[in-house]
DNA sequence: CGGCAGTTTGATGTTACTCAATTTAAGTGG
DNA sequence: CCACTTAAATTGAGTAACATCAAACTGCCG
């Protein structure tokens, strides 16, 4: 892990909670930001957050993909969600210094660590930032609720379709999508750990999706061939 | 639904977010409270919150049991969590007027509706209330994360044990438990909808729990016979 | 007594898991 | 450029877990 200067490419300045925190569009001098946030680079596959530790910092992912997960006693793990550029690791971490989950880098990532006390003090005098945080909390809750419903009530095909649709929506807010091709740097094992299946079964179902002309995930790119069918499978309500 | 005067028995004055909001122990005159919160009675089984509607109110359950759920397109539904006395229906509802879930009464319940604007204004000048809300948000997130892990990675037995342990902990904070007997007014169908199984399968597994001398759920009471074995089954980490 | 909601039990079907082998793709060093 | 290595994806066969369907049983209440 190398310390780097604040990243010019960091999209977290533009939108969401992090954007609001940093002035939401108004140009914030990097030097000003540099005083209370630290950027670091982490290579693909490496752990970022270890569970059950107290951290004085809150984390935001700046570039690359990460994932948040719970490590279980039986050796298995459950991926709770994937982190995209601009994402707070967890909204509740703004107030809670004790993190109950783990985070790892899916690709090489750049993350920003900010002092919790500093963020909280900025929160105090700024209703817009509070609103952005509340919104983040709401979005997280809604996504968790839908994930619970997907895991509890949907078949393997439906769960994978649901995950794809969810990720497609999130990816589309951050980059222009052409030809219905979404960058999705997941291994089948990650999909399996996210939707509660084995990677073998995920492989079979991705094969079915290809055969039926619904979608094709290969080489880190999801090509959506028939979005209608995908939504028919993966939508909850 | 009948309007009633603020309930003297309402435990929501004592603890959690609602407690902090109402003055946390300091006696708040019921008359004062009466101006901006409304209590109502709802019989067992009736809906309380319909999804996708905007409400100017936030809800707190005062007495009885409720449950929050998502109704799916295929007719099935997923119970997201059970609501106990003192519970906010959802922490995010304090800021978000749009509710994406449903709530129904499990038993007859008494609920309190409070104006969101009023709650928000009380929030503004009171860091203790903000902290209580943040804590609620964190607890909700952690519970959701564990639920996702249970649904994704645990067997039927483990999931039911996990649900029991979770509910036992919550019930124990609100009432004294004697003889390891926990009031749990759930039908097997509710358990099924909460942990993603059929009620038939839940029945079989409760039978196994009885035969193995682990626990016995009958007539709305869960008797924990061997807590060690139950925790061995239901603990995640 | 009859009716109803909830639970239990049995028989059978389906989904997804496990284990193991094979194929593919992407390096890496000679 | 070609063996060699390694991680990931695919395929097949057998099995375990859970669903489905249907019937019987229980307790409760009018």
């Amino acid at each position: 892990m190398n310390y780097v200067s604040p990243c010019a490419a960091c999209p977290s300045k533009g939108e969401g909670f992090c954007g609001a925190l940093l002035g939401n569009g108004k140009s914030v001098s990097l030097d000003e930001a540099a005083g209370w946030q630290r950027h670091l680079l982490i290579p693909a596959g490496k752990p970022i957050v270890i569970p059950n530790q107290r951290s004085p910092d809150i984390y935001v992912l700046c570039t690359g993909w990460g994932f948040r997960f719970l490590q279980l006693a039986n050796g298995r793990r459950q991926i709770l969600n994937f982190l995209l550029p601009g994402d707070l690791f967890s909204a509740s971490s703004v107030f809670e210094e004790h993190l109950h989950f783990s985070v790892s880098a899916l690709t090489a990532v750049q993350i920003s660590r900010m002092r919790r006390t500093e963020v909280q003090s900025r929160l105090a005098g700024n209703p817009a930032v509070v609103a952005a945080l509340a919104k983040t909390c709401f979005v997280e809750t809604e996504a968790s609720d839908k994930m619970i419903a997907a895991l509890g009530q949907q078949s393997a095909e439906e769960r994978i379709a649901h995950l794809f649709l969810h990720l497609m929506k999130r990816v589309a807010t951050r980059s222009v999508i052409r030809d219905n091709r979404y960058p999705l740097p997941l291994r089948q094992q990650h999909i399996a750990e996210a939707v509660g299946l084995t990677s073998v079964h995920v492989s079979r179902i991705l094969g079915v999706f290809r055969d039926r002309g619904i979608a094709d995930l290969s080489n880190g790119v999801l090509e959506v061939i028939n979005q209608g069918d995908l939504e028919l499978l993966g939508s909850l309500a």
Side-chain angles (χ1 to χ4, degrees), chain A residues 17-18 20-23 28-29 31-38 55-60 88 93-95 97 112-126 129-130 133:
Chain A
F17 169 71
C18 195
L21 187 66
L22 291 171
V28 172
S29 116
D31 298 280
E32 183 196 330
W36 58 285
Q37 67 173 349
R38 272 237 176 84
S55 165
D57 297 314
I58 67 173
Y59 297 80
V60 173
L88 261 175
S93 67
V94 174
F95 287 92
E97 64 176 7
S112 165
R113 301 195 312 186
M114 305 184 272
R115 287 282 147 191
R116 181 174 293 105
T117 51
E118 182 69 30
V119 173
Q120 284 177 353
S121 71
R122 283 171 189 244
L123 216 51
N126 196 332
V129 181
V130 173
L133 178 60

Side-chain angles (χ1 to χ4, degrees), chain A residues 39-74:
Chain A
H39 284 73
L40 36 144
L41 286 171
I42 294 174
K46 298 291 181 194
I48 305 174
V49 168
I50 307 291
N52 300 322
Q53 290 192 337
R54 300 184 174 280
S55 165
D57 297 314
I58 67 173
Y59 297 80
V60 173
L61 192 141
C62 298
T63 61
W65 285 57
F67 60 96
R68 201 168 67 86
F69 65 98
L70 292 185
Q71 182 68 56
L72 307 197
N74 56 15

